[in-house]
Amino acid sequence: MPKPMSKPAAQTAYVCGSCGARAGKWHGRCPDCGAWNVMVEEPDHTSGPAGAARFGLPAAAETARLYAEVDPVATERLSSGFAEFDRVLGGGIVPGSVVLLGGEPGIGKSTLLLQAAARVAAASGPVLYASGEESAYQIKDRGQRLGVGQAPIYLLAETCLERILDEVERLRPALLIVDSIQTTVSTVLQSAPGSIGQVREAATRLLFAAKQRNLPVFLVGHVTREGSLAGPKVLEHVVDTVLYFEGERHHSQRVVRAVKNRFGAVSELGVFEMTGAGLLPVPSPSRLFLSERAASVPGSAVLCAVEGSRPLLVEVQALVSTGAYGTARRTASGIDHNRLSLLLAVLEKRAGLSAVGEDVFVNIAGGLTVSEPAADLGVVAAIASSLRDRRIAEGTAVFGEVGLGGEVRSAGRAELRVREAAQLGFTRCVVPAGDAARTTAPPECALRGVGSVEEALAALAE
Ligand code: TYD
Ligand code: MG
């Protein structure tokens, strides 16, 4: 934690994140439990206004109500103007919800939110865009490229939380965007911007404002080099929805993914392409992810994955080459590294294909990450193809989970996967035998059920 800028005012206290002890000033080490770097600044509730009043809530507590007597309210969701984005949100923006959009610098968070702001403003009323990172001029400059037009977006170049809340009070916007939570500071605390205390205070106050006014709020969050949301894991607990914006900076594909959503399913994907005129939704991502595929070379396999409710065809690439000086390297991008080691072991033991002493590189093309077990067979197929230097027949797609015994297990939602493959012109799917028995494939796409890795590799070589 950064050291606080100056001596704390009387209204704040430092609280140990580990044992909860309070102190009047910051300590590197908790005087009570001795833990290092855990003291976080907080408003001191023991002096000054009590918690409820501080957040502008009525002091009278609500009484408990019987479950059966609570009226189900049909919350009308706002559309972000992008079907791709709405799906990730679980069907649109829920009034009164706080959504955290995390992602690496330069990935396009501000761009996406400004584009959404324009569409929400045009359809549902004014949007307040508070930025602590860019001036109103800079935002306008970007907006002109994005074709924002005359939609009522209010720009506020401000880092002070209280000023932002004042403007919310004055403008009563339909949507609030805070870019970013790490630059937002409350005058109540003395800590530096981006410190855990500040970030938590700002997020909590914005959450209360959102619930009180039924105002949807988007927060931009930076991620650290390690890939987690900067500062606070606590932030993920405070907000309703956590989205990650992913992609490789040097590629145009961008993926929005939900990792937590109180109002919908997680692991839904929204796919966008970064262009000169901002982000464009990609309605058929499989086509995009396969677009640069070199006409089937050894080591390339097409995998039918499912992310959320949507099938996605991606290319798995493997390259097996002789390692230098016996130091075999295993590099995985887009799949789990441990999973790769496991699959290599299965290939050796159960299919007699050894990569001992060889460098193995596996990559999911397009910068995508695939985490479902059904990816196994795609990885195995690509590695085997590279090892044997033999191409997989054109028009073949695969999916299936691989067990330690070399068995190929059902992946679920086979019909969805096969239909997507057929739609993109694939004529053959090598799938788990269990799935093949339960699935009716479209006539133009033949199913080949396999029970083991060995059988799968034989089928792919046909
Ligand atoms: P930005 O939204 O500023 O990223 P973040 O807020 O996540 O840091 O996006 C910046 C990048 O997007 C920058 O490298 C330029 C690129 N970009 C385009 O390619 N086209 C566009 O129309 C815009 C606005 C940005
Ligand atoms: Mg930005």
Side-chain angles (χ1 to χ4, degrees):
M1 196 188 91
K3 222 173 138 47
M5 292 181 290
S6 60
K7 207 168 155 281
Q11 309 91 302
T12 66
Y14 287 86
V15 178
C16 172
S18 167
C19 72
R22 303 178 81 81
K25 68 182 183 71
W26 188 79
H27 296 272
R29 185 179 191 205
C30 172
D32 239 36
C33 70
W36 284 96
N37 274 331
V38 286
M39 301 296 286
V40 173
E41 192 187 20
E42 270 187 6
D44 191 359
H45 303 308
T46 56
S47 69
R54 190 168 69 92
F55 295 120
L57 295 179
E62 208 180 300
T63 50
R65 276 191 291 168
L66 206 58
Y67 171 84
E69 286 168 8
V70 178
D71 294 324
V73 278
T75 45
E76 183 95 7
R77 293 183 184 228
L78 258 60
S79 172
S80 66
F82 290 105
E84 284 294 305
F85 199 19
D86 285 348
R87 192 188 36 252
V88 181
L89 289 165
I93 306 167
V94 176
S97 68
V98 177
V99 179
L100 178 66
L101 179 66
E104 286 174 19
I107 207 76
K109 301 179 293 295
S110 305
T111 305
L112 177 65
L113 290 182
L114 189 57
Q115 285 182 277
R119 294 173 185 218
V120 171
S124 319
V127 173
L128 176 57
Y129 189 110
S131 177
E133 314 217 320
E134 289 161 307
S135 67
Y137 170 76
Q138 283 174 301
I139 300 170
K140 173 95 187 196
D141 189 49
R142 171 184 297 135
Q144 277 174 328
R145 282 213 278 149
L146 303 176
V148 164
Q150 295 306 312
I153 301 177
Y154 289 89
L155 301 180
L156 178 66
E158 183 60 77
T159 56
C160 172
L161 175 69
E162 283 76 15
R163 284 271 304 123
I164 295 171
L165 291 174
D166 283 349
E167 285 300 282
V168 168
E169 181 69 27
R170 189 175 74 86
L171 297 166
R172 308 211 160 261
L175 173 68
L176 169 66
I177 294 168
V178 178
D179 188 358
S180 65
I181 191 70
Q182 277 91 5
T183 54
T184 307
V185 285
S186 166
T187 52
V188 175
L189 302 184
Q190 307 280 311
S191 341
S195 64
I196 293 180
Q198 284 287 10
V199 165
R200 188 163 63 184
E201 175 73 5
T204 314
R205 297 265 294 277
L206 286 165
L207 181 80
F208 275 97
K211 302 290 174 221
Q212 206 185 358
R213 287 169 224 272
N214 222 20
L215 165 74
V217 179
F218 276 102
L219 306 178
V220 171
H222 293 295
V223 297
T224 58
R225 246 175 262 113
E226 294 80 48
S228 60
L229 274 160
K233 212 54 187 156
V234 295
L235 201 51
E236 297 196 5
H237 295 293
V238 173
V239 302
D240 297 306
T241 301
V242 180
L243 308 179
Y244 274 94
F245 204 21
E246 302 169 346
E248 281 179 51
R249 198 102 67 91
H250 307 290
H251 283 95
S252 61
Q253 293 97 320
R254 298 284 183 275
V255 173
V256 187
R257 184 195 294 274
V259 294
K260 163 184 174 176
N261 194 351
R262 286 187 183 143
F263 308 108
V266 292
S267 82
E268 283 288 354
L269 280 191
V271 182
F272 292 86
E273 194 170 6
M274 183 62 97
T275 69
L279 290 154
L280 288 184
V282 178
S284 171
S286 296
R287 202 159 271 140
L288 176 73
F289 286 116
L290 292 181
S291 64
E292 284 171 51
R293 190 166 169 251
S296 140
V297 289
S300 159
V302 175
L303 164 73
C304 316
V306 170
E307 291 284 340
S309 61
R310 156 193 270 187
L312 201 57
L313 260 62
V314 292
E315 182 189 1
V316 186
Q317 301 174 322
L319 184 64
V320 181
S321 71
T322 313
Y325 313 113
T327 50
R329 276 200 295 168
R330 273 93 179 87
T331 309
S333 99
I335 64 160
D336 181 47
H337 192 268
N338 292 328
R339 199 76 199 164
L340 172 59
S341 305
L342 185 150
L343 293 173
L344 282 170
V346 170
L347 262 179
E348 188 192 335
K349 278 276 178 206
R350 310 292 177 201
L353 274 179
S354 170
V356 170
E358 315 243 33
D359 288 344
V360 180
F361 305 92
V362 175
N363 175 40
I364 304 284
L368 205 73
T369 301
V370 182
S371 52
E372 60 160 354
D376 291 352
L377 203 54
V379 175
V380 165
I383 295 172
S385 165
S386 180
L387 255 174
R388 297 163 153 178
D389 203 23
R390 214 181 300 156
R391 290 186 291 153
I392 294 173
E394 199 67 46
T396 304
V398 300
F399 64 86
E401 180 180 347
V402 171
L404 288 180
E407 75 278 18
V408 175
R409 302 171 173 216
S410 299
R413 291 199 275 182
E415 196 132 0
L416 196 65
R417 300 174 200 263
V418 174
R419 228 185 305 129
E420 176 79 358
Q423 251 170 31
L424 284 155
F426 285 82
T427 51
R428 196 168 73 122
C429 283
V430 176
V431 309
D435 282 333
R438 283 189 292 266
T439 309
T440 39
E444 65 273 21
C445 187
L447 282 193
R448 176 75 154 82
V450 293
S452 68
V453 169
E454 221 172 349
E455 219 180 304
L457 296 184
L460 286 167
E462 279 163 18

